Structure formats: C-alpha cells, structure tokens
Amino acid sequence: MNDSLTAGAGTSLAEDADAGPRALQVSGEGSARARYVEDLLGDPFDAGNPHGQQALLAADERREAPAATEELLHRFGLAAEFVPKALGGRLTGVEGLAQVLRPVFRRDVALGFGAGMTALFAASVVWTAGDERQRRDTARRLLDGGRFTILHREFAHANAILRGEYTARPAPGGGYVVDGRKEVVINADRADAFVSYVRTAPGDGADSHSVFLLETGRLPAHAVRRLPRARTHGMRGAHYAGLELAHCPVPADALVGRPGEGVSLALRTFQVSRALVSGGALVGGMDSALRYAVRAAAESRRGLVPHGRRGRVLAGVFADLLACDSLAVAGLRLLDLAPEHALVPSAAVKYAVSALLHEDLDELAAVLGARGYDRGPTYGGFQKLVRDLPVAGLGHAGTADTQAVLVPHLRTLAHATWRGEAGHEAPAALFTPGAGDTALDFRRLDAEPRDPHHGCDGLLAALLGAAARLDGKRGRGPRWAALADLARAFAAEVRHLAERCAVLSERPDTGVLAPAAYVLVDRYCLLIAAASCLAVCENADPGAPDGGLLAEPDWALLALTRFGRRLGVEVPALPDGVARDLAVRLVDRYRGGRSFDLYGMRLA
C-alpha cells in the first residue's frame, strides 16, 4: 500500500481536510489495527516501497530516522495507541498494543522506539499517578502529535542510556529548582515534554527520587540545553541526544504523584515497559531475523531441506520463538487482567525472552553464513537486528534490572503452598492469545509482589497441572507421550527449585550466595517459559486457520527439549520427524506470507 491511507480489512478510516493524527479514525480490535498497520507499511522487500527495507537501511546508514515512515505513522495517529480510550485515544489492553507495534518492529526496531513506544514509557507514569490536569494535558499533547520521552534515574553499573541524573531542591517562592545532565536520551533533541526521575533526597532509599512532568513550554529557555546527538552502535537511526538543566525553575504542579514516590513508580510502570519490549520489540524483531534465515536457506544451492541440519536449526528457533511469545503474551494478558499481580512475572518475561532470543540470533547467523554480513536490502536487515535488539533490551543493565526484582522473590518459593494444588494455577485466560480486547488499568499496578495464584507461582502451578493432565493424552501417540514425559521431568524440576530456594532462605550470607541466586533465577525463568508453552498448547484451538499448529505437541515438545538441555535435565530423544515436521510448518508460514509468532498474521 505504501503511502496509501486506505483502510485494511477489519478497520474503518475517515479522513477530513485536516491531515493531523486526530483526523484519522481507525477502529477495531488490536489485531485488526495491526493488520491495518501491516498493510500501511507495505511489502518490506518491494524496491519501490518508500517504507521498505531499502529505504529503512539507507536511513540507518545515514544515522537518520526514516522521515517518510515516521510521517506515515504520524498520519495514522500511532500516538493515539498510547492514550487510554477514556482520554480520547485507542489504548485499552497492552496485548492489543503489542500486536499493533509488531509490524513496526518487524521492519525497524529503532523506528518502533523512536516514533512510538518510548512515548508510552513516559506517559505510563502519568496514566499511573498523574492528576486529572496532567492526564488530560498529556493525552492532548500526544494526540496533537507532540513528542514525549523519559529521563530514567541512574542505576549502579549502568550503561550510557541510564547514566547521569537530575537533582531537585525546593525553590524559595514555591516549586523546585532542577539541575543535572544526561548524555544519552532517546528523542531528547526533539521532545517537547520529558517525564523525569529526579533525585529529591540523598541516599539510595525508597524515597530518594520523585517524578516530574517537564514541559518545555513551561520552562525558561535559558535553563534548558539540548546536547548534541550521541552515536550509538545499535538503533543508529534513533535520535539519542543529551539534556542539561541548569538552575531550572519547575512549577510545583509538575510533580507527578507524591514526593519521594519515584522508585515506587518505576517499579510499577516498568512492568508495562518490560512486557512491551518483550512482546513487541524482541518477538517482532526475532520474527524478521528468522525470516531472513529461512529466505537464505531457500536461496541456497540445496534449497529448503526440512530434514537437513539447517531445517533442524530453523525448527528449533521457531519453537523458541513460539515459546517466547507464549511467555510474552501471558505477561501482556496478566497486565490487562490482573495488573496488581504482574511485578515479578513482567521481570521474568523480560529476562527469559531476552536471554533465549539472544542465543537464537547466534544460531540463525550460522544458517545465514556470509549473507548475515550483507549490508544490502535483501539481508542487511539481519545485521541491523543484531545491532538493534541488544539496545532494545538495555543489555547488561536490563538484565541487572530484572534480576533485582527476581532474586528477592526466590525466597518466597521456599514457603510456597501451591505445590501440587491445581486450584492455584494461573487462569486459562492468560494463555489464549487474542481472546477479545482486554483493558489495563494503570492505577492498579503495584510495586509489591501480591497473591501468587495469578503470578509466577501460578505459572509454576500451571506447569504441575499441565503435567498431570498430559498423562491422560499418552494414548494419542508417541509425540504426546514424549511431551508428557518431558512435562513430568519439568514438574520435578519445579519441586527441586523450591527445595534449593529453601536452602537459600536459610543462609543469611546473601553476599556469598549471590551467584547461586542468579543461577536459580535462570532456572526459574526457563521453568516459567515451559509452563507458558504447555498452557498455550493445552488451551489452543485445534480448528485454528493454520491447521491447529499450537494445539499440536510438536512445537512445545521441541521447545521443552531445548529448555531441558539448557537446564541440564536429562531429556529423551525426540520421536522421529518432530523437527522435520515443524520445519515444514515453518516453511508453510513463510510461503503463505504469515508471521512466525502465535498469531500467524497475514503479512503485506
């Protein structure tokens, strides 16, 4: 479709004489709007498409944002996806939002952040704790095409994106005076509003920081200095620049929430960020990475051979992608259905998806061979993904951030009451992708772990329940029997993990125990990923349009086999033909122009 703004299937579009983002009225569920965006962006490998790979890679080489595609998304009103429906936008549930963003991230991770998702990361603080004036003004600014970005607080051992901070002190006549500098902030050179975590008390206590909504129109120009753009290895087209505030007066009503509430707000709103990075950027980007590898295999001298070594690698990565999406969608739907329980699961989702897909990139590079270094329009997007995806996950700093949430939670497993009790399983609604629109109430996000029945412990309980129920499916054939055996082995690992966490809780020397705790976090997250696979498989529709792939055992069997090897669990040999048959299903999706994720969406 390229630049056409003709409505896709399942959507309606009205455009009046004013060509602003408010003029476009796109309706429908997230899946329908996702198909609309997919068609709007067009075939990425069409040389004449101004929003295709050739144009996107050329902009990346120039270290520029793809201006024509940003303008297209602006005209579509992408910012309306980040504004709650009650405030005039389209945002209801984050699962639907992740679906809308995937077509963007499949093409360009930097574009997804620079032209889109960063605005939600900033605005989510206002949706969570802002007063009515702040919520109304933020919604209006976004809907009118304004740019928002976020100024994170500094973390120990952080990367450049998280380094540097701002401090505030009360002003004599009321309000605050803010000073500080950050060198690397996305869109700092072109945003007109900043949600900023500012130090308002000394030390590292829970009340050390507050959040301010800094609107440049309300700040004196002499106190705000935008620093030059910073060069980054990944996401080169994103506008990373710096911002310096020098004795900057800030009105009292710029404070979001209560003084000293910054750390709590970060813990609450980062749950949304982690889930969307996992379910939007990482899964969307890896969908494209796998597509490059399948294309390379198809164009090789031997062609696509599902039973060959390359076929086994591609089938394994396909299984991992479906498994990661199972976990990501469970995390997204948990935020929509029970956000007060999402603190620990959102961290586990981000940790597991980042780690698994990083390993898979290496496997795909082996399939691509020399094509993986090609910088042309056919395969150049793979190298771009290799550079961009680590930045999307914040690299080491992102891992440390999730570990900080997960390590303390391990001690609760020592006293878990859910072991063996099916009634404590997470509800099936978490494992039914696209099952109707859901809605996230940002104000229900919590900074403390809550009732385990919906959260990670509920996911582990779901693994135990699925393992018990799979015993009744052994008669369906050797593949179901093999999956039942694997599920039983993983159920034993859940109990073993709880025992190891009990030992951990009895040892007060946490400094010595830190390495052991990080090992347990790895195992914990892989077990939760396995639980999500089994639950999605169990709840999938056998009559789905793609032949009921998700309701069949092959993908879950291969995914759990790969997880078991990572865990050091003794796994049985796969029944004959599992990897080959899954590779065939992957090739079917490739040739049929369907996405490789849980949704199997038709692509442009």
Side-chain angles (χ1 to χ4, degrees):
M1 266 188 198
N2 300 342
D3 258 333
S4 169
L5 287 173
T6 303
T11 61
S12 64
L13 178 66
E15 185 173 8
D16 61 26
D18 298 321
R22 279 177 177 268
L24 303 182
Q25 301 299 318
V26 181
S27 64
E29 292 185 348
S31 58
R33 300 199 309 278
R35 288 192 297 270
Y36 179 82
V37 173
E38 175 68 23
D39 288 340
L40 197 63
L41 293 170
D43 180 355
F45 296 104
D46 177 358
N49 180 2
H51 316 296
Q53 284 299 294
Q54 189 166 324
L56 296 175
L57 290 169
D60 183 72
E61 286 291 327
R62 299 191 303 269
R63 295 183 175 272
E64 296 176 0
T69 309
E70 279 200 339
E71 174 61 21
L72 183 72
L73 295 173
H74 173 74
R75 290 169 60 200
F76 161 70
L78 184 63
E81 300 291 337
F82 310 132
V83 177
K85 200 168 184 178
L87 292 169
R90 305 184 196 124
L91 176 60
T92 52
V94 288
E95 185 199 6
L97 173 58
Q99 287 179 268
V100 172
L101 290 172
R102 281 189 190 183
V104 182
F105 281 114
R106 276 196 293 266
R107 289 162 172 81
D108 190 337
V109 172
L111 176 67
F113 278 91
M117 199 157 64
T118 300
L120 178 69
F121 295 168
S124 62
V125 182
V126 180
W127 309 149
T128 301
D131 59 33
E132 288 307 308
R133 196 269 312 168
Q134 291 168 338
R135 288 162 61 85
R136 185 180 61 252
D137 288 356
T138 297
R140 184 183 302 114
R141 188 182 298 273
L142 283 171
L143 292 171
D144 286 344
R147 289 189 184 272
F148 267 66
T149 194
I150 187 166
L151 305 172
H152 293 288
R153 68 188 180 94
E154 185 173 59
F155 294 97
H157 312 295
N159 57 28
I161 295 173
L162 299 175
R163 198 173 297 129
E165 71 171 6
Y166 301 89
T167 59
R169 63 183 188 278
Y176 302 86
V177 176
V178 177
D179 290 275
R181 174 187 180 111
K182 288 181 79 74
E183 301 283 352
V184 185
V185 178
I186 193 166
N187 287 334
D189 59 341
R190 53 183 187 165
D192 45 17
F194 301 82
V195 169
S196 181
Y197 288 85
V198 177
R199 177 176 291 281
T200 49
D204 296 319
D207 60 351
S208 60
H209 288 72
S210 304
V211 178
F212 291 90
L213 176 57
L214 304 179
E215 300 162 281
T216 54
R218 304 180 73 199
L219 305 177
H222 67 82
V224 179
R225 182 184 170 212
R226 300 183 194 248
L227 306 177
R229 278 188 67 184
R231 291 175 66 89
T232 56
H233 177 65
M235 302 213 317
R236 299 187 304 193
H239 279 243
Y240 283 103
L243 185 75
E244 183 177 34
L245 301 177
H247 310 297
C248 181
V250 172
D253 65 354
L255 179 70
V256 181
R258 298 186 301 273
E261 200 179 4
V263 173
S264 172
L265 280 173
L267 286 170
R268 293 169 70 187
T269 57
F270 280 15
Q271 298 170 53
V272 178
S273 305
R274 294 183 188 116
L276 282 171
V277 168
S278 304
L282 300 182
V283 172
M286 276 302 299
D287 189 307
S288 288
L290 179 54
R291 196 167 306 277
Y292 284 117
V294 176
R295 182 173 186 161
E299 294 179 351
S300 67
R301 181 172 52 85
R302 293 185 63 201
L304 272 175
V305 183
H307 59 270
R309 182 187 64 82
R310 287 194 218 179
R312 290 192 296 273
V313 171
L314 294 175
V317 174
F318 184 32
D320 274 1
L321 180 59
L322 291 172
C324 286
D325 202 13
S326 298
L327 182 57
V329 167
L332 290 163
R333 291 185 64 80
L334 178 59
L335 277 166
D336 289 341
L337 297 169
E340 58 271 20
H341 303 294
L343 176 65
V344 175
S346 67
V349 168
K350 173 69 165 27
Y351 185 91
V353 171
S354 296
L356 289 167
L357 295 184
H358 179 76
E359 291 179 21
D360 289 339
L361 271 178
D362 292 337
E363 290 193 65
L364 294 180
V367 173
L368 279 151
R371 290 183 176 90
Y373 298 96
D374 188 344
R375 301 175 76 92
T378 304
Y379 290 103
F382 182 79
Q383 264 300 303
K384 187 174 184 315
L385 284 166
V386 170
R387 295 192 306 269
D388 289 356
L389 285 174
V391 181
L394 288 179
H396 163 73
T399 299
D401 174 51
T402 54
Q403 287 171 331
V405 174
L406 293 168
V407 169
H409 183 65
L410 291 176
R411 294 181 178 273
T412 67
L413 292 180
H415 311 290
T417 60
W418 42 259
R419 283 177 276 182
E421 298 181 27
H424 290 270
E425 293 183 40
L430 295 187
F431 311 110
T432 49
D437 252 353
T438 50
L440 167 61
D441 181 351
F442 284 85
R443 294 187 184 276
R444 287 171 58 192
L445 293 167
D446 206 323
E448 297 289 337
R450 296 298 177 192
D451 185 327
H453 301 168
H454 285 79
C456 281
D457 298 344
L459 290 176
L460 292 179
L463 193 158
L464 299 180
R469 289 186 290 274
L470 275 168
D471 276 332
K473 298 182 180 180
R474 291 178 180 275
R476 296 186 181 184
R479 297 183 183 184
W480 283 107
L483 185 59
D485 287 340
L486 263 179
R488 180 175 289 184
F490 273 78
E493 280 300 308
V494 170
R495 296 184 176 93
H496 185 47
L497 174 69
E499 291 166 2
R500 293 175 68 175
C501 289
V503 172
L504 180 75
S505 69
E506 294 168 1
R507 299 272 301 275
D509 49 339
T510 53
V512 176
L513 280 172
Y518 298 140
V519 170
L520 294 183
V521 163
D522 287 345
R523 303 184 75 82
Y524 185 37
C525 291
L526 280 173
L527 289 171
I528 289 169
S532 299
C533 283
L534 293 173
V536 167
C537 182
E538 187 174 27
N539 289 284
D541 178 10
D546 64 349
L549 168 66
L550 299 179
E552 297 171 359
D554 292 6
W555 71 277
L557 179 55
L558 185 51
L560 263 66
T561 297
R562 289 164 65 87
F563 291 172
R565 290 173 182 153
R566 290 176 171 108
L567 287 167
V569 174
E570 188 173 340
V571 295
L574 283 169
D576 289 343
V578 169
R580 179 199 63 220
D581 290 351
L582 192 60
V584 168
R585 302 299 290 270
L586 172 67
V587 172
D588 286 345
R589 283 205 182 182
Y590 174 74
R591 289 176 174 158
R594 300 261 166 193
S595 66
F596 296 146
D597 56 15
L598 293 182
Y599 303 100
M601 188 180 84
R602 174 188 54 76
L603 302 180

